[in-house]
Amino acid sequence: MRVEIVAIGTELLLGQIADTNSAWLGEQLAANGLSSHFHQAVGDNQQRIVDALRIALGRSDAVIVCGGLGPTHDDITRDAIAELMGVPLVRDEAVVARIASFFAQRGRTMSANNARQADVPVGASLIEPVGTAPGLVCPVGSQVVYAVPGVPSEMAAMFTSGILPDLQARMTAAGEQGVIVSRVIRTWGASESGLAEALEGRIEELDARLAASEGETVTVAFLASGIEGIKCRLTARAATRERAVALLDAEEAEARAVIAERLGDIVFGLDDQNMERVVADLLIERGLSLGLAESLTGGMIASRLVDVEGASAWFRGSVVSYATDVKRTVLGVGDGPVVSERAAAEMATAARRLLGADVGLAITGVAGPTEQDGRSPGTVFVGLALPDAPAVARELRVPGARNQVRSFAVISALDLLRRALLAGSVVGS
């Protein structure tokens, strides 16, 4: 069964609001074995909404419409669906009474225009509302159009309680079975094209199996995610979730082996595991605490680390030594350039000592737009001080304008720490 999503609202087209509803719905549909090949966004214009719905029904079995069910003059989703169905709208007085009660319970009087939310196309049924607007299940021949409010919490609740059970019943009636499960391999340190080239042979093998899959498939896709790296998404379809997960397990192992052989240790996590979460887990596993000394990142590394729940158990703090004299007086960086390997190593050693941490991580460099210490913008040095070992530093070249350099420097520094923790046998005292 193919399900299309149509998001309603001129504000979506103007970029004033991000369409998170369609992304969430796409994920939920896939998780329940439903294909969604097209998403549309359309403004608050009845004719254009009708046109969008007709296009959707021309290529999909069901349509989920988000938005346009409010009480104002530009909330015209009901009108558009009624026109599509070729039926009038009829006011449901029971819904009017429920909306009035909703306001009364909050000590308010219902405005007259709220009664519009009780208008229902003839032949449609209602989805129990979370707020004031009920959802709609609207049959169009053998197909169906669902309408839910654009408020994300209301949309999600109505999808779970009303739309998904109806879709599953339709799938059962049509004799369809299947589950789609995805897994994301997260990488840092390779380009999208480089990752795709490394996995090219594996992707060709999967494509060759597709014709003989008998309903079981595994596909690979890539997503460049800026400062979060390159994501490799594996998607499996099978009769049961257990079988789909087994397919993903096998394919993940194959992909990891190929990536490691051709590109090295660039895989750092899965799905929602960001770099700071992975670093936190490694520190906890080894019983280590961490202290920072930051220059060009100005506390950005610390900010990401404290987003991890329970960071106080392993994160000691950060010295934001932005000015040159602070590096010298607080961290004890010696004479000479402060954008250098030596300065980064000295900063890491001082962070470990001053903050009483097992591990010291430091970063200094040039974000731009001008040079410093004869170094061009995008030059970054990361220092690392581990227990029972001299501090080391590494030079990185980071692309982009000022803010991009700082953001890339943050995840690059954390990735160097991740690699060091994986490579060594260091543990806390």
Side-chain angles (χ1 to χ4, degrees), residues 55-393:
I55 290 171
L57 289 174
R59 60 195 181 192
S60 301
D61 304 296
V63 181
I64 302 175
V65 184
C66 296
L69 295 180
T72 61
H73 71 283
D74 57 349
D75 290 313
I76 51 177
T77 295
R78 302 176 199 80
D79 306 80
I81 293 176
E83 180 180 338
L84 177 76
M85 296 172 68
V87 299
L89 289 167
V90 176
R91 185 153 296 176
D92 188 325
E93 294 301 332
V95 175
V96 175
R98 193 202 61 79
I99 297 173
S101 174
F102 180 92
F103 280 95
Q105 290 171 8
R106 289 156 180 77
R108 300 165 58 191
T109 301
M110 184 188 82
S111 299
N113 61 359
N114 279 104
R116 295 185 67 244
Q117 295 179 293
D119 292 344
V120 180
V122 171
S125 56
L126 300 179
I127 301 174
E128 186 69 23
V130 176
T132 56
L136 300 171
V137 180
C138 307
V140 183
S142 61
Q143 298 164 289
V144 61
V145 175
Y146 305 99
V148 290
V151 178
S153 59
E154 296 182 23
M155 176 278 301
M158 292 189 194
F159 173 82
T160 302
S161 66
I163 295 177
L164 183 57
D166 191 74
L167 284 170
Q168 289 173 329
R170 291 171 185 270
M171 289 176 65
T172 300
E176 290 192 29
Q177 292 183 349
V179 174
I180 300 174
V181 181
S182 292
R183 184 176 301 167
V184 175
I185 298 174
R186 304 184 66 161
T187 72
W188 180 256
S191 66
E192 182 178 8
S193 58
L195 187 59
E197 184 176 2
L199 290 172
E200 183 177 8
R202 187 62 192 164
I203 294 171
E204 289 176 352
E205 288 183 32
L206 292 173
D207 288 344
R209 295 179 188 176
L210 196 58
S213 65
E214 296 182 354
E216 289 191 348
T217 61
V218 180
T219 59
V220 180
F222 302 96
L223 176 63
S225 302
I227 62 170
E228 298 302 327
I230 307 299
K231 297 175 181 177
C232 174
R233 188 185 71 232
L234 309 176
T235 303
R237 181 174 186 131
T240 66
R241 181 175 183 82
E242 290 74 17
R243 177 56 183 162
V245 169
L247 291 172
L248 284 183
D249 288 342
E251 193 53 42
E252 180 195 339
E254 290 277 0
R256 280 179 176 269
V258 172
I259 293 170
E261 178 184 355
R262 300 188 181 182
L263 299 174
D265 183 24
I266 66 168
V267 174
F268 68 84
L270 292 174
D271 296 330
D272 295 330
Q273 286 182 304
N274 54 26
M275 187 67 78
E276 53 267 35
R277 176 73 264 178
V278 171
V279 167
D281 289 343
L282 288 170
L283 289 168
I284 293 169
E285 180 182 308
R286 287 157 175 73
L288 297 169
S289 59
L290 173 67
L292 302 176
E294 300 185 61
S295 181
L296 85 156
T297 50
M300 292 171 67
I301 301 178
S303 179
R304 285 190 65 151
L305 290 175
V306 298
D307 278 341
V308 179
E309 184 178 349
S312 59
W314 49 267
F315 181 54
R316 296 288 296 167
S318 177
V319 177
V320 182
S321 52
Y322 203 69
T324 296
D325 64 305
V326 175
K327 294 182 182 69
R328 301 200 193 284
T329 59
V330 176
L331 297 178
V333 174
D335 294 338
V338 293
V339 182
S340 65
E341 288 187 4
R342 178 189 58 79
E346 290 175 343
M347 290 169 64
T349 299
R352 182 169 179 259
R353 182 186 70 253
L354 291 173
L355 297 170
D358 298 307
V359 177
L361 179 69
I363 188 164
T364 183
V366 187
T370 58
E371 291 186 351
Q372 183 179 354
D373 289 339
R375 300 286 189 172
S376 60
T379 303
V380 176
F381 292 94
V382 179
L384 182 62
L386 296 171
D388 303 320
V392 296

